[in-house]
Structures are given as C-alpha cells and as structure tokens.
Amino acid sequence: MVRPQRPHEPTSERTPDPAPEPASGARSGSGSDPDRAAGRWAPARVLAYTGLVVVLGVLAGLGAALLTWILHATEEIVYGHGEEHGQVLTNGVEAWRMSLGVAVVSIVLALAWWLLRRRVTLVGVEGMVAGKPTPVWGTVANAAFQMIGVGAGLPVGREVAPRELGGLAGERLTARLGNHGLTEHDRRVLIGAAAGAGLAAVYQVPLGGAVFAMELLLAQISTTIAATCLSMSVIAVIVSRVVVDPVHQFAAPMLDSTDWHLLVWALVVGLLLGPFGGWFGDVADHVKATSQRGNLTLLTLPLAGIATAVYAWWFPLVLGNGRAAMQTAFLGIGLGLALATLVGKCLLTMLTLRAGAVGGTLAPGFAAGALSGAILGHLAQLALPGIDVPIASLAVLGAAAVLATSLRGPATGMLMIVGITGQGHDAFAALALAVGAAYATSALRPKLPGVPRPRP
C-alpha cells in the first residue's frame, strides 16, 4: 500500500502528525512481522501482545458503546427520538426545534472546546501512534463533545471520537506494558488497531475498521498486523452491541453485479465522481489544518451553528453526520432537494470544521457521494427519457466512489459501504469498478484555487 502523506481523517490538533515509519526491517506489503522473522517472539511478548489484543478490543467496544449512548441521548433531547435502521432522524420534527437545538449546542460546545484547549494539548490518533503523550480526561471529554455536537445536528462526522478513545486505550496500556517484551513496532500496531476497532464498533463494520487501520493508519500489512486488526475489530464490534444495534445502519438496494447494465452505470458514476471526491478530501484537509483553535472559537463556532440552523430550517437533511441525507438518497429523493442538500452539506461541514469543531468527514463524504449519485441518476433520466435508471443503486455506487477518493483509501471506502448497507458478495464487482474508475479520474483532477496541491 502507498502511505498517504496526510490522512484525510482529522486529528484533534492543528497540524496532522506524520504517518509513522515502519519498525526496522518492516516493509509495506510484507508478508510477515520483522520481529517474528528475526526470532524475537519471546513467551512474555506473546502473552502480553495477545492479552492486549483482547483487552483493547473490549475497551474499544465499550468506548464505542458509551459514545453511542451519548449520541442517542442527545438525539432524544433535541429531536424527541433516536435514529434507527432505515429511518430518517429529521422526519416529523418541527423545524424550530431542530434549528434551535443545533444553534444552542454550537454555543455551548464553543465554550467547552475553548476551555478544554486552554488546559490540555489534544492529540489525535496519528500523534498517539507516533508516541506523543496523550491526556486521558482531555481526550475523553473531547470525544464526548464530538458526539454531543453530532447528536444535536452539527454537520460533521462522528467517527473520530471512537477512534481516539480506542487509540487512547492502546497508548495507555502499551506504555504500562513496555517492559514485557513489546517492541516499538508492537506498540504502533496495537494503537492503530485499537483506533480502527473503535471505528468498526460504532458502525458495526469489523472488516471496514480493520482495513482502515491497515490502509490509512499503519500503511502496512503483514500476517501479524492483519490478525491483530481483524481480531480486535471483531471483539470491539461484539462488545459494543450492549448499546449499538447490530443491524446494518442503512436500508439500501442490493447491488447485483451480474446485471451488465449496473456495471456500465458503476463505471460512469466512478468516472464522473472521482474528481469531486478528491476535491472534497483536499478541502477537508485544508480546513482542518487551518481550523480555529484560539479565542476566536467563541465567535466562529456559534456563527457556524447559527448558519447551519438557518439552512436547516428549510433543508433539515444537512443536519448531523450525513446519515439522514444518505438514507433519504437510498429511499428516494428529488433532484432539487438533492442539489440543495448536497451544496448545503458540503459547505456547512467545511465551515463548521474551519470554525473550530472537532469531527470527521467520513460520514459527510459518503452522504455527499450518495446525493451526487442520485443527482446523476436524475440527470440521466432527463437526458435519456425511456431509459430505466436505477437512481437508488447509483446513490450506493456514488457513496463508495466519493468516500474512497476523499479518504484516499479505496479498500476502506468500498468495505465501509458494504458494511453499513449490508451488501452481499454480488455487489463487490460493481462497487470495485466504481471505486477503481473514481480513483483514476481523481488522480487527474486539477488543483483547486487557494487549496494546497493535492496529495498523490
């Protein structure tokens, strides 16, 4: 795998930390752990490592369960109900209630994040992997703030919080067990795997979380790394089910790659949406690298919240991490509403992150992709009257194409969509075609004015 220069998924610091270098003798794509090849798997190390895989899986799952409970509790307060499989959170809720909720919470969180940053230096997952000291209660508070914000309607992703709690557990425990034969390579792998397990648990996607850790956090793979990431993610997913519903989160059409018409649509969707996904990632990187972290947060974040509240009065699907928008795209959405939601979602997500909020862009990315796929379907219907266009299926393909290119993680993007929509094996060929085509055209995209040159 190619190591990304700066993973698009955000950290809690202004400047993202560089990706960790492999331990001595490790190679990206290597088939075995270098320490094992050198015969250094001493019994103490085996016991400590195996025990940590189990314990960290449990802790990552419990952390995801706690954060999900906070999310649902906030949704109950703001919307009067929580979000469930196949349902749209904003349906049936008064506009004033939703707008007031996001506006008030943005003011409260502006003060909360401002106070937190005055007392501790927040460290993201990449910093944890690189060995930076991580404040325990500051990281926990930061994760809770993120889930409260998303639950109240801030238009950012919720995936950073469970990753940071998982990474925190890994960083603390590996530091305590450093004298039990664990190497620096072990420490990095365990922290990265724990962060991926947190993501896996909150979305109930064990394979997606494990591949995320290998593809984007560790940027290397071996037998030991794969076994570590997969085992930890599975344990975290199972443990988190004390709170998290195991049913896949979205009701979506099942893709059938034996239909050659769908393969043609997958190719078209991927080719057209690849540059958009790349630009989405470029802008996301830029706004997070320049995000407000000082006293101005007390002004900028409330203003972003008020802007979100005003737009949501007429277009409530922009609220939250993107689940409502994506589910609506799968259930059926008109062209005008899809366009208004897509524009508002992209602008408000970037504005909120730039204003000082902490959050992710994974869910906003797949929501933007689903809306874009639906828009392409409607345009195709207008241009080709009489042709049966599977708009909902195009939304699924668009979600995979944009998520993969915005993350710079093709395997992660595809497997995340498979997991959260419950796709079967018949979907893989169409999704892979869409992601591959998107990656090709994304690499050809020109630089956006005012945004740093795109990463490879």
Side-chain angles (χ1 to χ4, degrees), residues 19 89 97 446:
L89 181 65
R97 179 171 182 166

Side-chain angles (χ1 to χ4, degrees), residues 20-309:
E21 291 298 323
S24 176
R27 292 185 296 113
S28 178
S30 171
S32 62
D33 181 5
D35 294 313
R36 182 181 179 185
R40 291 194 290 270
W41 274 106
R45 180 186 173 202
V46 173
L47 290 175
Y49 192 93
T50 304
L52 280 173
V53 169
V54 176
V55 172
L56 289 176
V58 172
L59 291 178
L62 291 176
L66 172 63
L67 293 173
T68 300
W69 181 85
I70 293 173
L71 176 75
H72 289 168
T74 306
E75 289 174 344
E76 289 284 350
I77 294 172
V78 175
Y79 299 93
H81 60 267
E83 201 159 30
E84 299 179 1
H85 169 77
Q87 297 182 351
V88 178
L89 181 65
T90 57
N91 284 354
V93 184
E94 299 90 340
W96 69 265
R97 179 171 182 166
M98 293 184 287
S99 295
L100 180 63
V102 70
V104 170
V105 168
S106 68
I107 296 172
V108 173
L109 287 180
L111 179 61
W113 267 314
W114 176 75
L115 290 172
L116 182 63
R117 288 166 179 151
R118 286 172 62 88
R119 287 164 172 74
V120 299
T121 299
L122 298 175
V123 177
V125 173
E126 288 78 13
M128 298 175 192
V129 174
K132 289 190 175 183
T134 307
V136 176
W137 292 110
T139 301
V140 173
N142 182 42
F145 295 164
Q146 292 176 52
M147 300 306 274
I148 292 171
V150 173
L154 286 183
V156 297
R158 59 173 170 151
E159 72 280 355
V160 174
R163 283 182 15 226
E164 290 183 341
L165 283 193
L168 172 66
E171 190 269 340
R172 291 286 89 191
L173 289 184
T174 55
R176 290 179 178 274
L177 293 177
N179 59 345
H180 286 71
L182 294 179
T183 66
E184 180 65 14
H185 177 264
D186 294 338
R187 187 190 67 80
R188 291 178 173 180
V189 170
L190 288 167
I191 294 173
L199 173 66
V202 81
Y203 281 110
Q204 294 292 287
V205 285
L207 189 56
V211 172
F212 174 86
M214 291 184 282
E215 186 175 41
L216 294 174
L217 291 179
L218 300 172
Q220 58 178 320
I221 188 171
S222 71
T223 303
T224 302
I225 291 173
T228 300
C229 293
L230 287 169
S231 299
M232 207 180 292
S233 288
V234 169
I235 293 171
V237 165
I238 294 172
V239 170
S240 69
R241 289 177 178 173
V242 297
V243 173
V244 183
D245 191 342
V247 178
H248 53 85
Q249 296 195 2
F250 293 93
M254 296 294 102
L255 304 182
D256 182 6
S257 299
T258 63
D259 181 0
W260 69 268
H261 296 92
L262 183 65
L263 296 180
V264 173
W265 285 118
L267 180 62
V268 172
V269 168
L271 291 173
L272 293 178
L273 294 186
F276 170 65
W279 285 323
F280 187 93
D282 295 338
V283 175
D285 282 343
H286 179 61
V287 298
K288 284 176 288 191
T290 58
S291 179
Q292 177 57 240
R293 293 291 185 262
N295 294 338
L296 278 178
T297 302
L298 295 171
L299 175 63
T300 56
L301 189 52
L303 289 177
I306 293 172
T308 301

